[in-house]
Amino acid sequence: MDFNGSSGGGSDHRQIEESKPLLGEMSATEGNKMGAAPCRRALLHCNGMRYKLLQEGDIQVCVIRHPRTFLSKILTSKFLRRWEPHHLTLADNSVASATPTGYMENSISYSAIEDVQLLSWENAPKYCLQLTIPGGTVLLQAANSYLRDQWFHSLQWKKKIYKYKKVLSNPGRWEVVLKEIRTLVDMALTSPLQDDSIHQAPLEIVSKLLSENNNLTTQDHESIIVAIAPLLENNHPPPDLCEFFCKHCRERPRSMVVIEVFTPVVQRILKHNMDFGKCPRLRLFTQEYILALNELNAGMEVVKKFIHSMHGPTGQCPHPRVLPNLVAVCLAAIYSCYEEFINSRDNSPSLKEIRNGCQQQCDRKPNLPLRLLHTSPDLVSQEATLTESRLKPVIVTSNEIHVEVERNNTANQKMTANVGNDSEPNLIDCLMVSPTCSTMSIELSTQADRILGCYVEILKMLSDYDDWRPALASLLQPIPFPKEALAHEKFTKELKYVIQRFAEDPRQEVHSCLLSVRAGKDGWFQLYSPGGVACDDDGELFASMVHILMGSCYKTKKFLLSLAENKLGPCMLLALRGNQTMVEILCLMLEYNIIDNNDTQLQIISTLESTDVGKRMYEQLCDRQRELKELQRKGGPTRLTLPSKSTDADLARLLSSGSFGNLENLSLAFTNVTSACAEHLIKLPSLKQLNLWSTQFGDAGLRLLSEHLTMLQVLNLCETPVTDAGLLALSSMKSLCSLNMNSTKLSADTYEDLKAKLPNLKEVDVRYTEAW
């Protein structure tokens, strides 16, 4: 097809058409030029205008049956046959009408259309298209010039794509095929149509071509990838093409195509993909690309540079989808490392078997027994040594990883007795928990071991970015790894770096993710505690996690109660070894009366007195308790008002200087106190009225008050920064009869919840809140 132009009527026009070869095929209209002077082709200006690809629309149709030599005479006549309105659909193979009657009784195949032209002639309707077909002409009349041009480009595109599909479905010489692929790509890039399918259609054609021809050489692979690279800059590759890319990454990881062509494609996937579940092969391609980078000479340094490029040079990553997508790729890759063990556990088909057609149940291989390896418990007392557990290997056949411990008869009887009378476990039983964990004997293949090392290292890289760490902690909080991975010593040892980074982060939204999502489920806090399946450091990481949690708003009865119920043994064990955090925990349990059982209290006291740091802190606790009792005996004022602008330090100094055991009414209104003063307020057992008007007292302090000052009757929180998160905790203060939440961030739902849970509440002020 060539470029043809003519002038007439005093105006200059230019006709632009596609002139791309199809496997060397000449244009069907080459040499077919209309010679009549009055008839000329309409002009299309190259003005950069964009059009949406038409799939259907209303248009006027006229069909003229004639020998080609008489066309000019028919067009120059004053009369044409009637025009019929039709709703045409541009299907994949033909142009069809929604009402197949009249001119459009039969659809017109794209293969029958020899040429598509913009057409105009003197004294005739405007905005026409001419479709040249064997034995005649089809005229299409649009309502305006823009709609006419839109029909023109859409028909041209559909006709060309149809031809490329036909030609490339039966390829001959691959050097010619490659030339046609380049032409196809150029056509897509230069098309004035603006639609997702404009770039996707050529990719799908190439994808089908590659899936049906598996005997290509490596050079052909690379040439095709380079040819379609421009289309991949703004489009995700289709599934079959992803499979082709994966194969290339596996077979030639050191090819320059991986770096030069695949890198921008993977970057786009990570930045813009919204759901790998809809196209899992995109995730697989990203996974194989990263593994290919890891195969380069620099190895993990190249991967690290790629991760850094995805984050960007600034302290804040500008692409919110990158981290979730990277984590999804890492989780899928790590899961694949343990797929054989998971399948042997539940006898389910692997992903490869699903792709190849799952085997019948009777043909599947038998369960692969997974045995647990145990190490000798490190017991710290002579009594514990006498009752040392005899451990036996366990075959894992259920969905839970567990360790069966066979104790002697005395130990069994003791445990049975404890269960029967609901008493606290004694010190010996608490210390029976080994600080070293039992791990599953898993030997990964060389390939799986390489994949595991690469993607655990990526998780460690992700945890090093401050802006990514909160979201990463939230994504990993439900512990998304298979149980086999958590029982694999190498995996948990490497992942320990990530958990340590969470434990070191001072932000509550990060270190709070160390806890489980909901009650009854283990979190990282449990897994890395002494006796946990991942603990291999005698509780050092556990102690650091407890320390950071106790330093935030988790310094509450609820957290201490959970430690007393589930982790009292590890806490006492680490306190025996002189860990200061655990000594502080045990002292707080005694101070807040967390432990009701007298024997357990005596065990805790004995543990504290066994070390210098424990003895010192226990003596300080006793002194504070003695002073508190003396203050309560001395009495003191019942009402107290702190001067405005007073601080937390001023309040602490005042309360420690005299007797306030009888203090019932305390006003801190218009002072500068914060939630930090709550630690001093909870030591006022007689307090019934508390005024915090216009202070900086927040949610953390409110939660602490709600757990200790259960007898509080009047509370003024007017103009404080408290939110629903703290106000909900007030539901445990059943004695409240007056509550002022004026000008706070109270919501209507929280207000309704408080009214339902506080039966004695009579006076409430919710003005200037959402509940007002």
Side-chain angles (χ1 to χ4, degrees), residues 401-510:
I401 297 175
H402 59 279
V403 180
E404 293 183 5
V405 180
E406 185 181 41
R407 299 181 183 273
N408 57 26
N409 293 334
T410 305
N412 284 330
Q413 294 172 1
K414 186 181 299 184
M415 292 179 66
T416 304
N418 287 339
V419 173
N421 58 17
D422 294 332
S423 63
E424 295 286 341
N426 59 39
L427 178 59
I428 296 177
D429 286 335
C430 291
L431 298 183
M432 285 301 297
V433 180
S434 170
T436 57
C437 67
S438 299
T439 55
M440 184 174 291
S441 176
I442 295 181
E443 291 295 334
L444 298 180
S445 64
T446 304
Q447 175 71 2
D449 194 68
R450 181 176 65 87
I451 295 174
L452 181 67
C454 175
Y455 283 97
V456 173
E457 194 66 29
I458 290 177
L459 289 177
K460 292 162 71 173
M461 294 178 197
L462 300 179
S463 68
D464 286 333
Y465 290 96
D466 289 339
D467 61 319
W468 275 354
R469 202 175 299 129
L472 178 63
S474 178
L475 290 170
L476 297 185
Q477 184 179 13
I479 308 186
F481 304 104
K483 296 179 174 63
E484 285 76 6
L486 298 176
H488 188 201
E489 183 178 7
K490 179 178 180 180
F491 173 75
T492 54
K493 186 175 182 179
E494 292 295 325
L495 194 67
K496 182 180 175 181
Y497 177 86
V498 179
I499 308 305
Q500 184 73 50
R501 296 292 285 159
F502 294 163
E504 293 172 352
D505 197 295
R507 291 170 292 185
Q508 179 186 338
E509 64 267 30
V510 177

Side-chain angles (χ1 to χ4, degrees), residues 357-381:
C358 181
Q359 306 172 33
Q360 296 295 327
Q361 185 70 21
C362 58
D363 297 332
R364 290 186 52 77
K365 57 189 177 182
N367 286 357
L368 178 66
L370 303 178
R371 295 185 176 274
L372 298 179
L373 299 181
H374 301 274
T375 56
S376 299
D378 181 16
L379 303 178
V380 296
S381 68

Side-chain angles (χ1 to χ4, degrees), residues 20-25 164 167-168 173-187 206 227:
K20 308 299 182 182
L22 289 168
L23 294 181
E25 176 188 52
Y164 274 109
V167 172
L168 292 179
R173 293 182 302 165
W174 279 101
E175 59 271 16
V176 180
V177 170
L178 183 61
K179 181 180 179 182
E180 295 305 325
I181 291 176
R182 293 194 184 104
T183 306
L184 174 63
V185 171
D186 290 341
M187 184 186 75
V206 175

